[in-house]
């Protein structure tokens, strides 16, 4: 079955770069996503990458995709206290062989802790 | 951008009562919506896929008679937790697939259900 793995915690100093890593198993994933969840809130889509891309940059965020190793990373440059949250990696998967609606498989989330 | 409105954001109910959670896509039509449940310190677990005009598709282990899903229009899906018990207390999040956009998924802000 589908599986998405990420480490549970990452601690960085304010101003440094944060790199959150994720591995996935479904090689047929078409899109891979990074979501941010602040305490008690819903998920906020941060960025996504199409599976035929290696890299995507969006302001302070850089996503790297190594499709051969099934490894996805999210780099946050100049990490700020407002970046403190849980970050979820997710992949799409085809649930039904007949072409039914895709679902998303999430990792357990990485809790990003910012040190002053 | 695409917005999904989920209500209520927080609800407390007595054991044995039913609670309805609404998920609306505000500026796009969604033939498919997804309902997730999040346990403390765990990832989101897909409960069911809600299909407009037809029956929902439930994931293994999810009781369809307990978690009633209705997707009567292209912009509204509801999840009713029937005869709620304390173990149903959780964070429920819906998402809708924006079929007009490349990346598709928009999440509601979540509903914190507490059953006392």
């Amino acid at each position: 079955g589908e599986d998405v793995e990420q480490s549970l915690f990452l601690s960085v100093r304010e101003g440094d770069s944060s790199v959150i890593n994720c591995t996935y198993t479904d090689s047929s994933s078409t899109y891979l996503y990074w979501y941010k969840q602040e305490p008690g809130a819903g998920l906020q889509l941060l960025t996504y990458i199409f599976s035929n891309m290696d890299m995507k940059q969006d302001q302070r965020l850089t996503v790297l995709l190594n499709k051969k190793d099934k490894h996805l990373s999210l780099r946050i440059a100049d990490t700020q206290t407002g970046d403190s949250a849980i970050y979820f990696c997710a992949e799409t998967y085809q649930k039904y062989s007949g072409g039914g609606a895709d679902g998303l498989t999430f990792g357990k989330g990485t809790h990003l802790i910012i040190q002053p | 951008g695409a917005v999904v409105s989920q209500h209520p954001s927080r609800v407390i109910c007595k054991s044995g009562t039913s609670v309805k959670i609404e998920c609306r896509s505000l500026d796009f039509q969604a033939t498919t919506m997804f309902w997730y449940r999040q346990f403390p310190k765990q990832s989101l677990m897909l409960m069911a896929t809600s299909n407009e005009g037809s029956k929902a598709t439930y994931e293994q282990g999810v009781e369809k008679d307990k978690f009633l899903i209705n997707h009567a229009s292209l912009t509204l899906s509801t999840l009713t937790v029937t005869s709620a018990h304390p173990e149903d207390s959780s964070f429920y999040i819906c998402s809708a697939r924006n079929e007009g956009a490349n990346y598709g998924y928009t999440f509601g802000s979540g509903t914190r259900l507490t059953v006392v």
Side-chain angles (χ1 to χ4, degrees):
Chain A
E2 309 85 10
D3 200 13
V4 176
E5 299 284 340
Q6 26 179 159
S7 53
L8 294 180
F9 293 95
L10 175 67
S11 178
V12 298
R13 288 187 183 275
E14 190 175 357
D16 288 351
S17 292
S18 306
V19 180
I20 304 171
N21 295 301
C22 168
T23 57
Y24 60 98
T25 56
D26 189 353
S27 58
S28 64
S29 293
T30 49
Y31 287 99
L32 295 121
Y33 307 83
W34 283 104
Y35 287 89
K36 177 182 180 181
Q37 185 183 31
E38 295 179 0
L43 290 167
Q44 172 195 353
L45 177 64
L46 277 182
T47 187
Y48 66 96
I49 188 166
F50 189 49
S51 58
N52 69 352
M53 296 168 66
D54 298 325
M55 186 182 89
K56 181 178 179 181
Q57 186 152 5
D58 184 2
Q59 298 182 335
R60 290 193 297 127
L61 305 178
T62 303
V63 178
L64 295 178
L65 175 60
N66 181 328
K67 202 171 178 186
K68 175 176 169 288
D69 294 339
K70 296 179 189 166
H71 182 266
L72 182 73
S73 68
L74 172 70
R75 178 176 179 270
I76 305 172
D78 187 24
T79 309
Q80 303 296 310
T81 54
D83 296 324
S84 179
I86 300 176
Y87 291 81
F88 289 92
C89 168
E91 61 169 350
T92 55
Y93 65 96
Q94 191 73 37
K95 279 177 59 57
Y96 310 109
S97 60
D102 294 345
L104 279 170
T105 300
F106 287 85
K108 292 197 184 307
T110 299
H111 190 174
L112 179 62
I113 301 164
I114 316 299
Q115 297 174 7
Chain B
V3 176
V4 169
S5 174
Q6 185 174 343
H7 292 283
S9 57
R10 194 176 293 269
V11 58
I12 302 171
C13 71
K14 290 186 178 179
S15 263
T17 61
S18 295
V19 173
K20 182 186 281 188
I21 303 169
E22 290 190 350
C23 181
R24 290 181 187 272
S25 56
L26 295 187
D27 48 3
F28 65 99
Q29 293 184 331
T31 54
T32 307
M33 291 187 177
F34 303 89
W35 287 97
Y36 295 85
R37 181 175 179 176
Q38 185 180 33
F39 293 97
K41 295 183 170 51
Q42 294 191 32
S43 184
L44 291 165
M45 301 300 296
L46 179 64
M47 297 174 66
T49 302
S50 171
N51 305 299
E52 187 267 336
S54 65
K55 290 182 181 179
T57 307
Y58 290 82
E59 295 299 300
Q60 195 171 7
V62 178
E63 297 174 61
K64 60 181 70 176
D65 293 331
K66 177 153 191 70
F67 298 100
L68 298 178
I69 290 172
N70 184 282
H71 194 154
S73 78
L74 285 170
T75 58
L76 174 64
S77 175
T78 60
L79 168 68
T80 302
V81 183
T82 63
S83 186
H85 288 98
E87 57 264 31
D88 299 324
S89 298
S90 193
F91 194 52
Y92 295 86
I93 302 178
C94 69
S95 79
R97 188 176 186 191
N98 184 349
E99 286 152 16
N102 264 345
Y103 48 89
Y105 298 95
T106 304
F107 283 80
S109 54
T111 298
R112 170 73 61 193
L113 170 63
T114 304
V115 184
V116 298

